[in-house]
Amino acid sequence: MKKLLSFIIILFFTISYAQNLKNFTVPRGYKKVTEVKGDLDKDGKDETVIVFDTGKTVSDYESTSGKRIIKESSIS
């Protein structure tokens, strides 16, 4: 009985794992660059990948994070 119950619980969570973003809107200030749909993990279900341009550069993140990023020129 425990095995059957465990199987049903695992099956339920496996089936209900995917998310549906029905009311998804592009965040303010973001520009949609591209959208691709396909079966990325070979599970028979199509995934959607959306790429956005935020207008920010790496240097914007360096100045606000307080962490120093090692650049290639400083390594050699």
Side-chain angles (χ1 to χ4, degrees), residues 60-69:
D60 293 337
Y61 292 106
E62 286 177 347
S63 63
T64 59
S65 69
K67 295 180 182 177
R68 184 175 177 189
I69 298 175

Side-chain angles (χ1 to χ4, degrees), residues 15 26 43 76:
I15 292 172
V26 178
D43 65 351
S76 51

Side-chain angles (χ1 to χ4, degrees), residues 35-67:
E35 180 176 338
V36 180
K37 294 182 181 183
D39 187 9
L40 299 175
D41 54 3
K42 308 290 187 219
D43 65 351
K45 298 176 185 175
D46 282 348
E47 287 80 32
T48 303
V49 176
I50 305 172
V51 178
F52 293 103
D53 179 9
T54 63
K56 293 188 176 191
T57 62
V58 173
S59 60
D60 293 337
Y61 292 106
E62 286 177 347
S63 63
T64 59
S65 69
K67 295 180 182 177

Side-chain angles (χ1 to χ4, degrees), residues 10-44:
I10 291 171
L11 184 64
F12 173 75
F13 283 111
T14 304
I15 292 172
S16 65
Y17 181 74
Q19 296 180 6
N20 291 325
L21 301 175
K22 297 176 184 174
N23 297 324
F24 179 75
T25 59
V26 178
R28 188 179 319 182
Y30 284 31
K31 178 182 169 187
K32 185 175 172 180
V33 176
T34 189
E35 180 176 338
V36 180
K37 294 182 181 183
D39 187 9
L40 299 175
D41 54 3
K42 308 290 187 219
D43 65 351

